Structures are given as structure tokens and as C-alpha cells.
Amino acid sequence: MNQPVIPIAVQGSTRQRKRQAPKGRRVDPQALLEVQGLLKDASRQSDLLIEHLHKIQDAYGCLSTAHLAALAQEMRMAQTEVYEVASFYHHFDLVREGEAAPAALTVRVCDGLSCEMAGARELLARLPAILGAGVRVLAAPCIGRCEQAPAVAVGQHPVARASCESVAAAVAAGSTTDEPRGFVDYDAYRAGGGYALLRDCVAGVRDAESIIAAMEHSGLRGLGGAGFPAGRKWRIVRAEPAPRLMAVNIDEGEPGTFKDRYYLERDPHRFIEGALIAGWVTDVETIFIYLRDEYHGCRALLEAELARLRADPPVPSMPKLVLRRGAGAYICGEESAMIESIEGKRGMPRLRPPYVAQVGLFGLPTLEHNFETLHWVRDILERGPDWFAGQGANGRKGLRSFSVSGRVREPGVKLAPAGITVQQLIDDYCGGMAEGHTFYAYLPGGASGGILPASLNAIPLDFDTLQPYGCFIGSAAVVVLSEHDTAADAARNTLKFFKHESCGQCTPCRVGTAKAVSLLAAPKWDTALLGELSQVMRDASICGLGQAAPNPFDCVIKYFPHEL
């Protein structure tokens, strides 16, 4: 077949035709001026994308497509890069062209397990009518205040043990009080001997090797859930080539967990000194502190105390401390997802190897630690590793900060020996069960740690002791159920959470959590199909979310068959 002949002049003009504007949405000049006014002279580097999105969200209450396009141009990023990050995190409200902006005030009612048991469903049902059309009421995943259940956030301010009346009063007042009690500020911390240990390190009174040895001897393990020995982690990172970085994980999102917030609200410099000592031992250049967005009061507190530390440093030189703000994503509690988020990206876990200690933040070796792990560094080094190792019970070593919530008389953070049993925890630290409730079941490690019956109340609560029962301690979040609850309902609640929080990167987790929710909603569970689903999720999910999500329903099938 004869092909049409295209004149050379036309061919040339076609090749030379240039796009008159960048591909994608045209940038509105007014939106660009508004974004520039918010960013001012702040750096436009790409890892600050989430920080800059927060500035727009805070100022306008939402993220419009016009502002996203303007931000992309200002940061010299593709609009798709900005949009995919903005749409990934729960706390960013995207408003597309033609859509109405959300209400000026958002009230988030936590629907985590502890809050659900305390009446969150009633709040969600009644509050919209009480507060009116000018207030948006949303169900929210765990906001880290399980001991105050039901917990509600009015804007960014928490309301503890909320009722319809107290929430309405907080909305009318425009704010709530969330000041910490017994707070130790920078001056008080230094007056009590704070940062003397850091000065000894920098002055050469202590050497890195002896500190690592002490940490190893203490038996301190990562208290964010993974339980990797802290001293060994320091040794591994120290052996990697410089430059090195450090990341502190305060994205405490496991339902039932609130211990990090509890300590941060009271004694922030204890963890900061621990971080600076760990940074000195491993010779890191910068320490990034990643704080979950739900902890608004903690962020203001930490910003103020870091400013005081920088203005009057305890040592001549120390690593740079950078505070980064999460945006509502449980998955960012996973170390590599957190690192992706610090880099300004979607919080999606990385495939490993390489491990974070080898290739972490910005491709550099990175020491990653949970907040509470660093909280114990000063005590261990000042009192000696034998002091910490000698605190355990039932043959275990160390101390644990248990976040206890649910049907106990006195919920809260309970500092107790590692290896204590749940019965001892309830009786000796929580004042027993709440009035009118009998101990029925418990979650030993938060939403992902499984569910055990009260008959198994003598298992030492520690790393490696619960695995034979299909559970784990994780971050030591203990949720106590009574005869008024069912383990099956607890499993339904936790699987809804995992479905909501799956990052969607891998099919076994993305599809598996959704399938589990639908199967658990059936009047009679298909236990054979749930068993197959559990195996696939455990074997093929990229990270711990999908691997541990089946624990609740596996435990119900094993220990509570009478409920099915």
C-alpha cells in the first residue's frame, strides 16, 4: 500500500513544535502567590513536601488542586508527585475542582477497640446532629489516648473520656486544654543532672565501645515492637561507612499504645539526651525526629524545648536535630515507611535487603530507634546495665512500659518488670477490673498482637514468650476485655483498622485485609477460608502489617470457637 508523502517542511515543523506550557494543570497566579506567602524563605527541597502540605492544610483547612499545582511548580516537582503524596495521608483533605471545601472544624472520634468499648459508636451516631452542619464528624483510627477512652479530637485538641456534652462544650470554646502534668522543661532537666552524661561522652570521660558494651549487657531491646537489641544495632551502624544519619520513631499508631506520648508529655529531654548519646556513639550528622500528627500538643512542646536546647547547647557540638511531622498513616510506624515519609514521599515499606542500617535515609546508613528505647539510655548508663537487667520477673530481664486500657479500674502507662503476667498487671498495677466487669480476654500486644483468653493469664509478658500461643508483645499495649465483650468483635474492629491503614503496595495485604473484613462480618465464619487467607498474608506480605493482621482472627478461631 502506498504511504502518503508528508512534505519535509511539515515534518520539520511538527518536530520543532514546542509545548507552550508545562504538561498538566495550569498554575493559577493567585494560588501561586498564596503558596509562596506560606513557604516564605523555607527551602523548596523535595523532602519537605509533607511539611509544606501541612502549611497549606493548616492555613486553608484543605488542599485545593490549585494550591497543589502551585506547590508543584514552586518545588519544581511533577504535579503527580505532589498529588500522590497528598492523597496518601489521612490528615490531608483534598478538594477537587468543583467540590465544596470541608467544614471549618473537624471532630475526630476514635473508633479503636478501647474507645469502641467505651462508647465511641454512640458518639459517632449522636454528635453530627448535636454539633450541626458547620462541624464535620469523622471516625478516626487510634489517636493514642486509649487510657482516656472514648477519646475525641476537636480540631487538633483532645477531649479525654468524651461525652456529647464535653465535645459540644469544646467546640463552643474553640479549644481544649491538653497541657501535660509534671512537665520537666530544659532548665529543670539540666538542674537535675541532665546532659551531664552527654558532656562526659563528648569530653572523653566515656568512650563509645564501653557504652555499646553497657547497652548490650543491659539487654535493652527496641521497644517499638520489633525488639532488636539496642546495643547490637549501635554496633552495626557504627561499622557502616560515614556519613550516617539517625531517625527517631514517634509515630505511635498501634491501637492500644500510648506510652511514648505519656513520657514525651512529661520528660522530653530524657529521650533527647538518649538520642544525642546514640548519635555520638554512631557518629551521625543529623537526627530526624518523626512525630505522629495526632500529637499536636506534643509537637508544640517539642518544638519549644528543641529551640531552648539549640539556644543553650549543653556541649560545643552535637548532631543537628530536625523535627518532622507525620500526616496520619499507621504504616509509617514501620521503619522503612517512616524513612520514606521523612524523605517527603508516600509511607510505603521498602523491600529488604538492603536494611535501613545499611541504606536508610537519603541512601545513607541510618540508626533507627523507637522513642522509649532512647528514653532508657540515660538510666542504664548512669545506674549501670545490671540495674536494668535485674528488674525482670519470671526469668525475664528489664522493665516494660505497658499501655493498659479497656475494662480495668485504672488504665494508663504501667512501668512494671518484664515478664509480669497479665493477671499481676491487672491486680497489682491497675486496681483490678472495672466495677461490674469480669476478666474475659486480653490483647497482649495491641491490635496486631493477637487475643488470648483469661484462662491463659499466667504467661510472662515479654519478647519471645507469647509466640508459642500465636501472639506477641509488640509495643506492650495490653487491652483488657470483660464478659461484656467478645473476642470476635475485637477481631472485627482490628481488621477494619488494618484494612483502613494498609498502604496498598502489596496485594496480599491490600486485598487480604479487605477480604478478612468481609469474612468476619458473616454470621458464621468460614474458618477454612480464613485459615488459607491467613497463610497467604503471612507468607507474602511485604511488611509486618499484612503479616500480623491475621493474628486476631486466628486467635479467635483457636481460643474462642464458642463465639463462632
Side-chain angles (χ1 to χ4, degrees), residues 190 193-205 273 314-315:
R190 291 195 67 170
Y195 293 109
L197 184 61
L198 176 64
R199 289 197 300 270
D200 285 348
C201 293
V202 174
V205 177
E273 183 170 13
V315 293

Side-chain angles (χ1 to χ4, degrees), residues 158-475:
V159 178
R161 300 173 186 86
S163 64
C164 290
E165 293 73 21
S166 64
V167 173
V171 169
S175 66
T176 58
T177 301
D178 53 351
E179 293 295 323
R181 298 177 181 177
F183 178 65
V184 180
D185 66 9
Y186 183 57
D187 292 338
Y189 185 75
R190 291 195 67 170
Y195 293 109
L197 184 61
L198 176 64
R199 289 197 300 270
D200 285 348
C201 293
V202 174
V205 177
R206 293 175 180 261
D207 64 272
E209 179 55 38
S210 67
I211 289 178
I212 291 176
M215 295 297 293
E216 290 174 331
H217 183 64
S218 72
L220 179 67
R221 296 172 65 170
L223 298 174
F228 192 87
R232 190 193 308 172
K233 184 180 285 190
W234 293 14
R235 191 177 295 282
I236 290 170
V237 174
R238 181 177 169 83
E240 291 293 322
R244 310 175 194 91
L245 298 173
M246 183 174 175
V248 181
N249 191 338
I250 323 182
D251 192 61
E252 184 179 48
E254 179 74 17
T257 308
F258 46 90
K259 61 184 177 61
D260 293 350
R261 189 209 83 235
Y262 175 87
Y263 288 126
L264 179 56
E265 287 177 338
R266 288 157 176 79
D267 196 2
H269 289 280
R270 189 167 295 271
F271 109 83
I272 294 172
E273 183 170 13
L276 289 170
I277 291 170
W280 175 80
V281 168
T282 53
D283 190 23
V284 304
E285 294 186 348
T286 304
I287 298 173
F288 289 85
I289 302 170
Y290 188 85
L291 179 66
R292 70 183 308 208
D293 194 37
E294 289 84 350
Y295 291 170
H296 172 74
C298 290
R299 184 172 65 255
L301 175 158
L302 196 51
E303 286 173 342
E305 292 304 309
L306 287 173
R308 299 180 71 180
L309 177 70
R310 297 184 190 106
D312 180 23
V315 293
S317 63
M318 59 186 185
K320 182 181 179 182
L321 291 157
V322 177
L323 181 61
R324 288 291 171 87
R325 179 179 175 183
Y330 166 73
I331 192 63
C332 290
E334 195 277 338
E335 62 175 5
S336 65
M338 177 191 68
I339 282 173
E340 289 286 301
S341 190
I342 291 173
E343 293 180 355
K345 306 171 188 173
R346 294 175 295 170
M348 289 191 164
R350 297 176 179 177
L351 292 170
R352 284 162 285 192
Y355 296 95
V356 165
Q358 303 163 313
V359 181
L361 263 171
F362 308 111
L364 300 176
T366 301
L367 177 66
E368 190 275 343
H369 265 313
N370 164 259
F371 169 93
E372 195 203 348
T373 312
L374 297 167
H375 173 87
W376 289 112
V377 169
R378 178 184 168 190
D379 277 327
I380 288 171
L381 296 179
E382 287 185 345
R383 301 188 185 194
D386 289 333
W387 165 80
F388 186 81
Q391 298 294 316
N394 297 313
R396 310 305 296 177
K397 293 183 178 181
L399 292 166
R400 292 288 176 272
S401 299
F402 293 94
S403 303
V404 186
S405 63
R407 308 296 193 179
V408 294
R409 191 183 300 274
E410 300 168 8
V413 173
K414 312 297 178 179
L415 183 60
I420 192 174
T421 67
V422 70
Q423 195 66 60
Q424 292 171 318
L425 194 61
I426 293 170
D427 294 342
D428 300 340
Y429 290 83
C430 300
M433 294 293 292
E435 190 71 28
H437 292 269
T438 301
F439 184 27
Y440 173 68
Y442 67 108
L443 286 71
S448 56
I451 310 173
L452 292 173
S455 59
L456 294 177
N457 63 348
I459 304 170
L461 298 178
D462 197 14
F463 297 112
D464 310 320
T465 60
L466 292 158
Q467 279 84 339
Y469 303 90
C471 298
F472 60 80
I473 193 170
S475 58

Side-chain angles (χ1 to χ4, degrees), residues 5-12:
V5 177
I6 301 175
I8 294 176
V10 175
Q11 291 176 344

